[in-house]
Amino acid sequence: MQEQTNRQQESILQKENTVYRSLDVSGTFRVFMGDMTGMAEDLRKINHSTPTATAVLGRVAAGASMMGMMAKGEKDRLTLTFNGNGPGGKVVAVADSQGNVKAYMENPTIELPLNQAGKLDVGGAVGRQGMLTVVRDFGFGEPYVGQVKLVSGEIAEDITAYFAASEQMPTAVALGVLVDRDMSVRRAGGFIIQVLPHPDERVLTKLEENIGKLTSFTSLMEEEGDLLGVYERVFEGIQMDPPIVSHPAFRCDCSRERMEQALISLGAKELEDMIREDGKAELVCHFCRRRYLFGKEQLEELAAQLREEKKG
Ligand SMILES: [Zn+2]
């Protein structure tokens, strides 16, 4: 039964996402630009999220994916945590260096009216009274932790502020999710453009002019039809290196072993209470909602292990 549910879950996670990463030929800026429609739709299905929450999850996941790809080491992991004290609760996304992402939101069934601009109220759901925390874990030693006060809770602006404050890099970030009438994700994605040291002023002026003309990322995708079209439009009149194309995905790395560790960390007494009261334990992964069932015997084994360790 559990096997079956997990297999069903895998079968819904199949849409491809595409990210272009490139530089302009003068080395003035670098760009990550992604069509993350599949990723946002995966998150919606897993979380049964409302349109506002889908927009929150889709934007945070797209941002994390592209930031994850900025890693210097292959084993690096990036975690974005938006803690804005809004009704949607905390939002967390974890990305690896290939841009694969897992994400969750405390309250994905939040319903809010559209904001004053007639858009899904992402900032209202996330909240504005709090922090964005960015953790880069290198797989060894101390992780790097950066923090910035939330600007609007709209995600892209907050990530821009993070790059300005913590990494002193002038950065333009656009992230968007367009939800269809049937609540599925019609378009999702965005870009992160970063100005490099010693920019060519003419290229920079042209880039600013181009960006200044843009509306939203999802409306660009609607107009152009695909990522290549958007890319060519954003960098019109600028000579670009050929982009490196990759296909990140929603991916959760939870496992039975990890869940066992979580149970063990509760301690022997808690485990014994569990055995006495329920005779079993069911753990659900926050990120992918996969269920892990532990029977009485397995719990007893874990409790026995703990008692042994204590003695030893
Ligand atoms: Zn999981």
Side-chain angles (χ1 to χ4, degrees):
M1 188 60 191
Q2 184 197 349
E3 286 278 302
Q4 203 179 356
T5 321
N6 289 347
R7 212 172 304 133
Q8 276 166 358
Q9 220 155 34
E10 262 149 33
S11 71
I12 64 171
L13 308 178
Q14 280 175 356
K15 281 198 199 162
E16 194 171 71
N17 306 280
T18 302
V19 173
Y20 290 171
R21 56 193 295 181
S22 184
L23 288 165
D24 77 296
V25 295
S26 75
T28 293
F29 64 88
R30 68 170 178 176
V31 59
F32 295 79
M33 183 181 283
D35 175 349
M36 311 290 207
T37 307
M39 197 180 276
E41 176 64 0
D42 289 345
L43 284 162
R44 180 187 76 88
K45 285 181 177 165
I46 290 166
N47 293 284
H48 304 286
S49 50
T50 54
T52 309
T54 302
V56 173
L57 283 163
R59 286 189 198 179
V60 173
S65 174
M66 292 186 282
M67 288 173 78
M69 288 176 149
M70 293 173 183
K72 300 209 167 62
E74 208 184 313
K75 294 222 164 102
D76 292 11
R77 279 160 71 90
L78 173 110
T79 305
L80 291 186
T81 305
F82 286 85
N83 214 334
N85 293 296
K90 199 163 75 171
V91 192
V92 179
V94 184
D96 67 19
S97 62
Q98 280 82 53
N100 299 310
V101 169
K102 60 179 182 178
Y104 87 88
M105 177 173 177
E106 275 177 339
N107 182 9
T109 53
I110 173 89
E111 307 258 17
L112 287 176
L114 298 177
N115 65 17
Q116 283 174 336
K119 301 261 169 71
L120 294 170
D121 194 1
V122 168
V126 172
R128 299 168 180 94
Q129 305 300 317
M131 308 296 282
L132 160 61
T133 307
V134 179
V135 178
R136 274 194 192 278
D137 193 324
F138 309 107
F140 60 86
E142 286 289 301
Y144 164 84
V145 182
Q147 222 176 24
V148 68
K149 264 197 187 142
L150 291 178
V151 178
S152 62
E154 294 280 337
I155 314 303
E157 280 175 340
D158 305 302
I159 293 175
T160 305
Y162 162 76
F163 278 116
S166 296
E167 302 192 1
Q168 271 102 45
M169 277 186 107
T171 305
V173 183
L175 296 167
V177 175
L178 180 63
V179 177
D180 225 328
R181 281 170 199 277
D182 67 357
M183 311 253 263
S184 69
V185 177
R186 183 172 163 84
R187 304 279 189 187
F191 62 70
I192 301 181
I193 299 172
Q194 293 188 306
V195 179
L196 301 170
H198 318 298
D200 179 326
E201 289 301 328
R202 277 168 309 177
V203 176
L204 204 54
T205 306
K206 181 69 185 149
L207 177 67
E208 279 166 0
E209 189 189 305
N210 288 8
I211 291 177
K213 279 191 284 194
L214 303 179
T215 47
S216 74
F217 190 80
T218 49
S219 51
L220 267 180
M221 282 183 77
E222 284 287 275
E223 287 161 27
E224 298 295 333
D226 62 9
L227 190 65
L228 184 61
V230 177
Y231 180 83
E232 285 173 348
R233 177 127 152 232
V234 173
F235 302 118
E236 203 179 347
I238 299 173
Q239 265 191 295
M240 300 294 291
D241 278 346
I244 298 165
V245 182
S246 58
H247 301 289
F250 171 88
R251 189 172 295 164
C252 190
D253 53 358
C254 65
S255 65
R256 200 164 173 85
E257 289 69 36
R258 279 197 184 196
M259 290 298 171
E260 258 180 37
Q261 285 308 315
L263 281 171
I264 287 170
S265 70
L266 294 175
K269 192 187 168 302
E270 193 77 17
L271 279 179
E272 277 152 14
D273 288 350
M274 230 177 237
I275 295 165
R276 203 174 44 243
E277 282 160 25
D278 302 321
K280 62 176 170 29
E282 189 186 69
L283 272 67
V284 180
C285 172
H286 275 330
F287 291 99
C288 69
R289 308 281 168 136
R290 190 169 290 201
R291 289 168 189 283
Y292 293 88
L293 209 65
F294 291 84
K296 193 173 178 191
E297 275 173 35
Q298 290 161 317
L299 291 178
E300 278 167 348
E301 247 171 62
L302 293 178
Q305 260 182 45
L306 273 174
R307 277 193 302 267
E308 279 302 308
E309 276 165 27
K310 223 177 187 175
K311 267 189 242 161

